[in-house]
């Protein structure tokens, strides 16, 4: 551990900005707001924390029914395989969906960056690109659901491949995630329009970062769904 | 207008990162996703499969949180708010795993006896 001697000059401002455990105590005990950020950003973080719990509970419930199922669990590699141009490729649609969502996260990160640079035009372009990629993701998910329901006969209460709990877990988890993506597309479209209209010229562009937090979170949840539901 | 805005943001203490940082992380996430897809494509099984899936998953989640969501540059006070409560989820996962095992064994026993 390094000895922590506060510098003698300029102590006041320097001490306040140091980020260590004493900094945490100072943040909480000083006569100022604890979290040095716009209230909207803090509220978004709190919302995302609560959403973390919801998705965690879904995934934990899925783990529980999968561990206790008597029938064998359907092989997701085969269930989500597609035959493209005569080639049977396992899990290919899910892989493409993953890449689309990661790309949308990349464009969103750039939108936030351009917003803080004050580049309104590029911010709107990148937010629109993010929303389009999100809509593409939801479209592919609709295709996947249709294929599973119509062609493979998977229902929330049973399916021809094995454990009956597969459908319930699948529709619940991916459905809730798809709902988040759809809501995110609408959210992005609304904020992008307001940015384009110049609503934030005076207020500052924190709202773009807040929207970005939501969007990256949706991508983050997909990382866990991809690992636990599709790959496991 | 945009010039004054940049100055205002700089005064508000908002850090600026070069676009190239995001492009690098983006490429990294692509590579990690490809690798985790390869785990399934080559049908790796057993502990190797599970550990690789988890490693790639946590790396991806970490980069999204740290760079894209800027958590790496937030103060510890916020990090505590974000990462302390989810510890309760770990407890839930352990409890539900025990419970799932218990249910499975009971189902086995009752189906054998009937």
């Amino acid at each position: 551990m390094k000895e922590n001697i506060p510098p003698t000059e300029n102590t006041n401002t320097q001490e306040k900005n140091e980020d260590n455990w004493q900094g945490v105590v100072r943040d909480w005990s000083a006569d100022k707001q604890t979290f040095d950020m716009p209230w909207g950003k803090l509220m978004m973080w709190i919302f995302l924390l609560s959403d973390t719990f919801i998705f965690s509970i879904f995934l934990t419930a899925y783990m529980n029914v999968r561990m206790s199922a008597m029938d064998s669990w359907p092989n997701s590699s085969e269930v989500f395989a597609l035959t493209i141009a005569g080639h049977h490729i396992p899990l290919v649609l899910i892989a493409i969906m993953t890449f689309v969502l990661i790309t949308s996260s990349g464009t969103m990160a750039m939108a936030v960056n351009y917003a803080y640079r004050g580049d309104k035009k590029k911010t709107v372009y990148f937010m629109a690109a993010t929303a389009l990629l999100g809509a593409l993701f939801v479209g592919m998910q609709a295709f996947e659901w249709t294929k599973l329901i119509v062609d493979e006969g998977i229902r929330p209460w049973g399916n021809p491949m094995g454990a009956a709990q597969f459908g319930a877990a699948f529709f619940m988890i991916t459905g809730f995630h798809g709902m988040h993506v759809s809501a995110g597309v609408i959210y992005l479209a609304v904020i992008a329009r307001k940015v384009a209209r110049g609503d934030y010229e005076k207020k500052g562009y924190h709202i773009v970062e807040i929207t970005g937090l939501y969007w990256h979170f949706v991508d983050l949840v997909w990382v866990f769904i991809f690992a636990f539901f599709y790959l496991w | 207008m945009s010039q004054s805005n940049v100055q205002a943001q700089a005064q508000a203490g908002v850090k600026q990162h070069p676009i190239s940082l995001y492009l690098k992380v983006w490429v990294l996430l692509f590579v990690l996703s490809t690798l985790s897809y390869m785990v399934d494509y080559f049908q790796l099984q057993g502990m190797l499969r599970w550990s690789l899936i988890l490693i790639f998953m946590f790396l991806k989640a970490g980069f999204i949180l740290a760079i894209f969501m800027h958590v790496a540059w937030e103060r510890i006070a916020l990090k505590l708010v974000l990462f302390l409560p989810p510890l309760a989820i770990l407890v839930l996962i352990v409890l539900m795993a025990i419970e799932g095992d218990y249910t499975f064994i009971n189902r086995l026993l009752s189906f054998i006896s009937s």
Side-chain angles (χ1 to χ4, degrees):
Chain A
M1 278 281 284
K2 251 195 299 180
E3 194 82 24
N4 216 331
I5 306 161
T8 41
E9 51 195 281
N10 209 1
T11 321
N12 241 347
T13 48
Q14 206 121 31
E15 214 176 76
K16 271 185 186 133
N17 287 326
E18 251 175 70
D19 197 23
N20 48 28
W21 288 102
Q22 281 130 49
V24 174
V25 175
R26 223 175 288 122
D27 281 352
W28 278 97
S29 60
D31 193 12
K32 64 177 176 78
Q33 64 179 35
T34 307
F35 300 100
D36 186 22
M37 57 178 69
W39 67 268
K41 186 176 161 188
L42 181 64
M43 289 300 112
M44 180 52 86
W45 271 122
I46 302 287
F47 167 73
L48 294 181
L49 182 64
S50 70
D51 235 15
T52 306
F53 272 78
I54 291 181
F55 278 108
S56 304
I57 287 165
F58 282 162
L59 285 169
T60 311
Y62 152 68
M63 174 196 74
N64 182 272
V65 294
R66 186 165 170 172
M67 284 177 81
S68 57
M70 294 300 287
D71 300 319
S72 68
W73 199 258
N75 180 2
S76 52
S77 184
E78 279 310 304
V79 176
F80 301 104
L82 275 185
T83 305
I84 300 171
H87 294 283
H88 184 77
I89 312 170
L91 217 57
V92 64
L93 183 68
I94 310 304
I96 297 170
M97 284 164 77
T98 305
F99 288 130
V100 166
L101 211 54
I102 285 173
T103 307
S104 80
S105 241
T107 53
M108 187 69 229
M110 286 186 220
V112 174
N113 198 281
Y114 280 121
Y116 278 140
R117 286 167 201 259
D119 193 333
K120 205 172 81 178
K121 211 167 154 190
K122 278 194 180 135
T123 306
V124 174
Y125 283 153
F126 275 108
M127 284 183 89
T130 310
L132 282 176
L133 287 165
L136 179 64
F137 178 89
V138 176
M140 287 195 285
Q141 197 168 39
F143 172 78
E144 184 199 2
W145 275 46
T146 312
K147 185 172 161 285
L148 253 59
I149 295 170
V150 178
D151 299 342
E152 321 246 356
I154 295 175
R155 299 286 182 274
W157 51 86
N159 64 75
M161 293 97 147
Q165 294 91 333
F166 177 82
F170 172 77
F171 290 122
M172 193 73 191
I173 293 170
T174 64
F176 214 75
H177 179 263
M179 194 188 83
H180 274 75
V181 180
S182 310
V185 169
I186 297 167
Y187 184 26
L188 274 169
V190 170
I191 300 298
R193 185 167 162 270
K194 282 168 78 99
V195 170
R197 213 165 53 184
D199 286 17
Y200 304 111
E201 290 274 334
K202 288 209 183 82
K203 272 191 261 177
Y205 284 100
H206 287 289
I207 185 74
V208 182
E209 188 186 359
I210 295 168
T211 317
L213 283 181
Y214 178 86
W215 192 260
H216 294 311
F217 177 78
V218 169
D219 187 25
L220 186 67
V221 170
W222 183 255
V223 169
F224 288 87
I225 295 176
F226 182 60
F228 289 130
F229 201 90
Y230 293 100
L231 293 180
W232 204 260
Chain B
M1 184 67 220
S2 71
Q3 191 59 32
S4 67
N5 230 319
V6 172
Q7 278 161 3
Q9 303 287 3
Q11 275 163 10
V14 177
K15 288 200 193 81
Q16 271 304 336
H17 309 287
I19 288 287
S20 62
L21 173 71
Y22 297 107
L23 289 172
K24 276 177 204 150
V25 174
W26 186 0
V27 170
L28 199 60
L29 290 173
F30 249 80
V31 171
L32 286 170
S33 297
T34 311
L35 286 175
S36 53
Y37 179 63
M38 286 300 138
V39 171
D40 185 73
Y41 193 80
F42 293 116
Q43 283 297 311
L44 304 176
Q45 296 301 339
M47 283 312 283
L48 180 66
R49 179 188 185 92
W50 297 327
S51 52
L52 282 178
I53 289 174
L54 287 181
I55 289 168
F56 295 143
M57 180 190 83
F58 281 122
L59 280 175
K60 275 165 77 180
F63 278 112
I64 292 172
L65 268 169
I67 312 293
F68 281 178
M69 298 175 93
H70 295 154
V71 172
W73 299 287
E74 297 289 359
R75 289 179 73 80
I76 293 175
L78 182 76
K79 287 179 194 162
L80 289 175
V81 168
L82 298 181
F83 296 116
L84 276 187
L87 292 180
I89 295 168
L90 289 182
V91 177
L92 178 77
I93 291 170
V94 172
L95 289 179
M96 288 302 106
I98 296 168
E99 206 265 352
D101 253 348
Y102 174 75
T103 311
F104 182 70
I105 290 165
N106 272 293
R107 282 177 180 170
L108 270 186
L109 289 176
S110 74
F111 287 157
I112 289 168
S113 61
S114 65

